[in-house]
Amino acid sequence: MRRSAILMTAALLAASSAWAANFTPNVLRLSAPDAVSYDFDGTNLVLPVTVTGPQASVVFTVFTKDKGSSIQKVKNGFLGWHYVNNIDTCLYVSNFSDFGNGQNEVTWSGKDSDGNLVPAGDYTYYLWGYNSQSPRSLVCSQFGPASNSAGMIKVFDENNNILPNPVYFPPAQSITQISADNGGYNNTSTAGLKTRAKFTIGSDPLDPSFVETTTYMGWGDSGKLAFMPGDNQYYFVENYLPKAEYPEGLHHVMKYKWVPNGQSEQVLEFGDNGLLSFNNTSAGYAGPISDGGSELWIVVGDNSYPTYTNPEIMYYVDPTDGTVLRTYDFSWLWWDAAEVTRAQQNGDKYHGGPTMATYRNGLLYCAGLSFCTKQCIDPTQENDDDVTLWINGNGDYVGDRFFDPEAGNKAWYCSAASSAPWVYEFSADANGFSVFSSYDLGAVSMGLLAPDGTGIGYLPLPGDTASMKYGQLFVDAGTPFDGIYCDNPPDTTYPKALWYVGQDSIKGTISTQIAVADDSPTAFTVAQNVPNPFNPTTTISFTLTKAGRTTVEVYNVAGQKVDTLVNASLKTGSHSVTWNAAKFSAGVYFYTVKSGSFSRTLKMTLLK
């Protein structure tokens, strides 16, 4: 009996020590040739795809290339659901394919989604994949998506350099909520006092000592933070302040200096005595938006039922003093008089206007909680008519509302308070794929849109049920932490937690083969992997002087082959492949690139 007790205690200690470790994700990487040639003759194009890390569900899309300037303000699709302007557009979307770790293939017949042969020319292909099978990994047990927001993840510093570790900022919470749910970081209950927390991703998920907090005065916010370009110790939040005390309007943006584990200091030189106010009294507010190192944008939506009088406006703001440098009114994209009338006749609310926005790759992505419209904005365009790049509305079944034949007089009704999907987050990755949370549609987490807004489908994340879905956040800057960060699965052990799922997207070119002798590489080269040493991913680059079967293989110090990264026919030119060594032990490895009669081996070091 005593021996059994000792064994059980040892097992519990082992399990505890296994959890008490820093978070290291199994990063998913896709790799494929940067350029492939195709005769566009109706035969099958076979594209080799390498998957490293976990297995992946992958979708393949084909787009026009460098044709955006000829695509002007085009509306197409059922109900005219899709608007595109000055961007390349999607011609083909495949079904999702389940790819295992290692070599896989995508096959394309050269036809568009309508079954027509695509004319010969140059096209861009994209691969977007995610791990739909393996269990999610716990990132942070102290906080997670909640309060109608997923929060935000900061990847860049104030100078737009990639942070060594991303930093998670969960939605603001009240002092009493923080005290009750998270170990008593604050034990006072002051009306209007909010707490913001931050957690460095990669730390021990269960250790609350890695959580830093700050407090500020506010009665509510959009869940987002924006940071001062050039000095990220200053941040911006949006507040719903009591109108009795602030009769000039309900919505304000405030600027604070972050005080670690203390009360933030309000900057009174920003706006009017610390308040940058907007003539909007609704709850449809997307908040201040920035990428942490460049510009500050503020998006104001409108849910002013039953008056519907407030415009949807984007503001470009001087982050130093709050001076509004530019406004852009996009009400015409969100408001429809006929739907307002239908809402009033049905005794329903008309929820026009964005209630969330994210800033990525110099573009703003906007969506509404209970509205079908998803919008991509290029705020640098001087002409207001060119600011909107694409809109996805009712008509392609991804993000649509009331498309059921039983919807009656609400058929194809874009806005209402009684129809899924509820959208609490809208985010985009580095290649322009965007996802929106999709709650109340069963066991799916998100809707996926292509880089021009084309709807691809609704996707489940591992362990999905019909529970709440507050959102998904991308990290994809070439870091060891790239992937999707999302809601917790139904797990009462961690009722508020952040979880990780592997994800990646890449792009390349498909074109007719055009030989240009002067552009041909003059030497077979293999570059030193970058970074080196590394943990857990590194990139191997090489140049081929002649097209042909090429392999990239990894060996341990005993000369045993431990992984094959490439085994495909590649064309001449530069190529690269990423090795994810998360499942391998630390130590010295060798990689060999072979093509035809050429071969070269180099050494690399994996740290853990």
Side-chain angles (χ1 to χ4, degrees):
M1 181 66 132
R2 177 178 174 80
R3 183 173 181 272
S4 297
I6 293 173
L7 288 174
M8 181 172 291
T9 301
L12 290 173
L13 287 173
S16 175
S17 64
W19 272 109
N22 289 347
F23 165 68
T24 303
N26 185 13
V27 176
L28 170 66
R29 297 292 188 197
L30 305 176
S31 61
D34 295 328
V36 292
S37 61
Y38 180 54
D39 291 332
F40 295 91
D41 55 0
T43 60
N44 283 338
L45 167 68
V46 178
L47 180 72
V49 180
T50 302
V51 176
T52 57
Q55 60 187 348
S57 293
V58 179
V59 65
F60 169 77
T61 65
V62 178
F63 275 65
T64 60
K65 185 177 188 297
D66 302 326
K67 302 294 184 184
S69 59
S70 63
I71 301 172
Q72 299 289 323
K73 302 178 177 61
V74 175
K75 270 194 172 185
N76 56 30
F78 182 53
L79 298 179
W81 67 272
H82 194 189
Y83 171 90
V84 290
N85 183 41
N86 282 324
I87 58 170
D88 282 296
T89 58
C90 185
L91 302 176
Y92 173 78
V93 178
S94 74
N95 294 323
F96 272 86
S97 298
D98 291 330
F99 286 169
N101 192 278
Q103 288 293 303
N104 302 269
E105 291 182 344
V106 165
T107 302
W108 181 48
S109 66
K111 297 179 180 179
D112 62 21
S113 292
D114 295 325
N116 302 314
L117 283 174
V118 172
D122 295 339
Y123 297 88
T124 298
Y125 78 81
Y126 292 91
L127 293 168
W128 190 95
Y130 78 112
N131 175 16
S132 63
Q133 302 297 323
S134 304
R136 310 181 194 194
S137 301
L138 182 65
V139 179
C140 176
S141 65
Q142 314 302 316
F143 301 96
S147 305
N148 297 353
S149 173
M152 66 167 291
I153 295 177
K154 193 170 182 295
V155 181
F156 301 95
D157 67 13
E158 57 200 27
N159 298 312
N160 269 338
N161 297 316
I162 298 173
L163 293 167
N165 293 69
V167 181
Y168 175 56
F169 294 85
Q173 301 182 57
S174 66
I175 293 300
T176 53
Q177 188 175 8
I178 291 287
S179 177
D181 295 342
N182 297 288
Y185 292 112
N186 297 278
N187 54 17
T188 60
S189 180
T190 304
L193 196 62
K194 290 283 187 178
T195 294
R196 277 285 187 177
K198 68 178 182 180
F199 176 84
T200 299
I201 293 175
S203 305
D204 182 350
L206 299 180
D207 190 343
S209 68
F210 289 107
V211 176
E212 181 180 297
T213 64
T214 193
T215 60
Y216 64 95
M217 294 303 296
W219 279 256
D221 65 37
S222 63
K224 297 291 186 182
L225 285 176
F227 290 90
M228 179 73 181
D231 191 348
N232 283 182
Q233 67 179 322
Y234 292 95
Y235 68 98
F236 304 85
V237 292
E238 171 265 334
N239 274 310
Y240 306 146
L241 300 182
K243 195 171 182 180
E245 298 180 36
Y246 301 94
E248 68 275 16
L250 184 66
H251 283 293
H252 308 267
V253 170
M254 307 167 85
K255 180 179 179 181
Y256 287 97
K257 181 179 181 180
W258 185 288
V259 176
N261 301 314
Q263 184 159 345
S264 292
E265 301 171 3
Q266 187 176 2
V267 179
L268 300 180
E269 294 77 20
F270 181 76
D272 182 7
N273 197 33
L275 297 179
L276 181 58
S277 305
F278 299 97
N279 185 25
N280 186 309
T281 58
S282 75
Y285 195 90
I289 309 295
S290 81
D291 60 4
S294 56
E295 299 166 327
L296 177 64
W297 299 89
I298 295 172
V299 178
V300 177
D302 182 40
N303 282 345
S304 57
Y305 171 79
T307 59
Y308 316 113
T309 55
N310 296 317
E312 329 302 333
I313 296 181
M314 174 183 69
Y315 299 90
Y316 179 33
V317 175
D318 184 331
T320 302
D321 60 9
T323 301
V324 176
L325 303 176
R326 182 186 177 187
T327 63
Y328 168 55
D329 186 340
F330 48 83
S331 302
W332 64 278
L333 299 172
W334 290 77
W335 286 92
D336 185 281
E339 286 215 358
V340 171
T341 299
R342 292 170 73 188
Q344 293 170 330
Q345 290 173 344
N346 286 301
D348 209 340
K349 295 183 178 181
Y350 183 75
H351 287 267
T355 54
M356 64 207 70
T358 189
Y359 187 55
R360 186 63 196 271
N361 304 323
L363 302 177
L364 281 164
Y365 294 81
C366 303
L369 167 65
S370 52
F371 200 72
C372 74
T373 295
K374 314 295 182 294
Q375 178 187 14
C376 177
I377 295 172
D378 180 358
T380 64
Q381 295 294 323
E382 294 183 3
N383 186 342
D384 282 0
D385 289 342
D386 291 330
V387 167
T388 296
L389 297 184
W390 60 256
I391 298 172
N392 179 307
N394 261 349
D396 75 342
Y397 298 97
V398 182
D400 294 356
R401 305 172 74 82
F402 288 116
F403 56 83
D404 191 299
E406 303 297 323
N409 64 350
K410 287 189 177 181
W412 296 107
Y413 186 31
C414 189
S415 172
S418 56
S419 174
W422 306 107
V423 178
Y424 296 107
E425 189 63 64
F426 189 40
S427 56
D429 75 2
N431 281 314
F433 285 89
S434 53
V435 297
F436 56 92
S437 57
S438 303
Y439 170 56
D440 210 19
L441 292 179
V444 297
S445 280
M446 58 190 182
L448 175 65
L449 305 180
D452 70 337
T454 294
I456 294 178
Y458 291 106
L459 306 180
L461 291 174
D464 252 342
T465 67
S467 60
M468 280 298 301
K469 312 291 169 59
Y470 282 125
Q472 304 79 32
L473 302 170
F474 286 106
V475 173
D476 60 344
T479 76
F481 299 94
D482 284 3
I484 293 177
Y485 292 77
C486 57
D487 298 72
N488 55 297
D491 186 340
T492 56
T493 305
Y494 307 111
K496 291 181 181 177
L498 186 69
W499 298 79
Y500 172 85
V501 173
Q503 182 275 329
D504 193 21
S505 69
I506 60 174
K507 67 178 182 179
T509 300
I510 303 172
S511 64
T512 53
Q513 188 169 5
I514 302 174
V516 181
D518 290 344
D519 292 338
S520 299
T522 59
F524 170 82
T525 61
V526 178
Q528 184 66 55
N529 61 299
V530 177
N532 187 44
F534 64 98
N535 179 27
T537 61
T538 189
T539 298
I540 298 167
S541 299
F542 54 94
T543 301
L544 304 181
T545 60
K546 184 178 180 180
R549 177 64 59 175
T550 303
T551 60
V552 180
E553 297 171 331
V554 179
Y555 298 83
N556 60 21
V557 290
Q560 301 167 318
K561 184 169 68 174
V562 297
D563 208 348
T564 298
L565 308 184
V566 174
N567 183 8
S569 181
L570 302 183
K571 66 182 298 183
T572 59
S574 300
H575 303 271
S576 62
V577 62
T578 298
W579 186 41
N580 187 328
K583 64 182 180 182
F584 294 94
S585 302
V588 173
Y589 292 85
F590 298 88
Y591 61 95
T592 298
V593 180
K594 295 181 181 179
S595 185
S597 60
F598 298 101
S599 177
R600 188 178 182 195
T601 299
L602 292 174
K603 182 173 70 173
M604 56 184 171
T605 303
L606 170 62
L607 301 178
K608 290 282 183 142

